[in-house]
Amino acid sequence: GEDVEQSLFLSVREGDSSVINCTYTDSSSTYLYWYKQEPGAGLQLLTYIFSNMDMKQDQRLTVLLNKKDKHLSLRIADTQTGDSAIYFCAEIESYNKLIFGAGTRLAVHP
Amino acid sequence: EAGVVQSPRYKIIEKKQPVAFWCNPISGHNTLYWYRQNLGQGPELLIRYENEEAVDDSQLPKDRFSAERLKGVDSTLKIQPAELGDSAVYLCASSLARGATGELFFGEGSRLTVL
């Protein structure tokens, strides 16, 4: 079945860039997503990219998609302490059915 | 506008006891989902409703789990009897029926601990 894999942990210094990586298996996914989960909260959609794009930029966020390698990344510029959270990569298996990775815990330190 | 509301936030029960979780989706959202999130894992879909109809329940362990969405709005997820392995966070989400952009709106979840 479909599978989404992510590294589990990333630690960065405040002000640096963070890059969170993800690999997925379903080449037919029309959209790929990044969700953010803060402690004790539900997931919140951060950004998404359509599969015919290779890059999407939204303020401090840059999403890169390499369809050939089935690789998705999320870059957060000027990372702040408020960015500390778990970031989930997800692919869409069928109509609104998302397959999530295990999540990457981002820790931002001064 | 109110988001997805779930209750209870926390529940501790002994194994073999029943438990129920309630979800009120965002007003106007026809699609409702129940996900289970085990510790250190991403959410996994249990069941998806389009209005009152369960259109995808392939991942719901039907021997002990049941769900309903009688009037196409609120939903209840029940586990009877609970087992130790059911300890997890149960997330409810909702989305608009039209389009398939994958934007799901999640509640804060109900954390279940089975002793």
Side-chain angles (χ1 to χ4, degrees):
Chain A
E2 288 75 15
D3 193 22
V4 177
E5 294 191 357
Q6 308 177 230
S7 53
L8 295 183
F9 188 75
L10 177 66
S11 177
V12 300
R13 192 182 302 274
E14 191 174 13
D16 287 351
S17 292
S18 307
V19 180
I20 302 171
N21 294 301
C22 166
T23 57
Y24 61 97
T25 56
D26 188 356
S27 59
S28 65
S29 288
T30 51
Y31 294 91
L32 293 140
Y33 308 86
W34 286 104
Y35 276 79
K36 177 182 180 182
Q37 186 177 34
E38 296 183 1
L43 280 72
Q44 181 180 19
L45 180 64
L46 201 57
T47 186
Y48 65 91
I49 187 167
F50 190 50
S51 59
N52 68 352
M53 300 169 66
D54 51 20
M55 187 181 85
K56 179 180 179 181
Q57 188 150 4
D58 183 3
Q59 299 182 337
R60 293 191 296 121
L61 305 178
T62 303
V63 179
L64 295 178
L65 174 61
N66 181 328
K67 283 196 71 175
K68 175 176 170 289
D69 295 337
K70 298 179 186 173
H71 183 267
L72 184 73
S73 68
L74 174 69
R75 179 176 180 270
I76 305 173
D78 187 24
T79 312
Q80 302 298 307
T81 55
D83 295 322
S84 295
I86 302 175
Y87 292 81
F88 291 92
C89 173
E91 63 178 350
I92 191 163
E93 178 186 278
S94 60
Y95 179 77
N96 270 5
K97 181 175 181 178
L98 300 184
I99 306 298
F100 289 90
T104 299
R105 183 179 295 273
L106 175 64
V108 183
H109 55 89
Chain B
E1 180 184 338
V4 176
V5 179
Q6 294 187 242
S7 68
R9 289 292 313 277
Y10 305 93
K11 189 74 175 178
I12 301 174
I13 60 172
E14 293 187 344
K15 63 181 180 182
K16 300 185 181 179
Q17 294 299 305
V19 64
F21 305 111
W22 174 82
C23 172
N24 181 243
I26 291 173
S27 177
H29 282 193
N30 302 81
T31 308
L32 183 146
Y33 314 76
W34 282 103
Y35 278 84
R36 177 168 58 189
Q37 186 176 17
N38 292 315
L39 188 65
Q41 300 294 317
E44 295 179 322
L45 181 68
L46 291 174
I47 188 168
R48 174 168 68 93
Y49 283 93
E50 296 289 345
N51 299 305
E52 305 88 0
E53 184 182 358
V55 296
D56 184 353
D57 64 355
S58 56
Q59 300 290 92
L60 190 72
K62 298 182 182 63
D63 56 337
R64 297 182 300 106
F65 286 65
S66 64
E68 59 183 15
R69 193 185 185 199
L70 293 175
K71 296 182 180 179
V73 180
D74 295 3
S75 177
T76 303
L77 176 70
K78 297 179 181 177
I79 308 174
Q80 182 170 13
E83 297 180 351
L84 295 176
D86 296 332
S87 295
V89 177
Y90 291 84
L91 293 166
C92 180
S94 69
S95 69
L96 291 169
R98 292 205 183 96
T101 60
E103 183 167 15
L104 276 58
F105 295 82
F106 283 85
E108 294 180 320
S110 295
R111 182 180 295 275
L112 173 65
T113 302
V114 183
L115 303 176

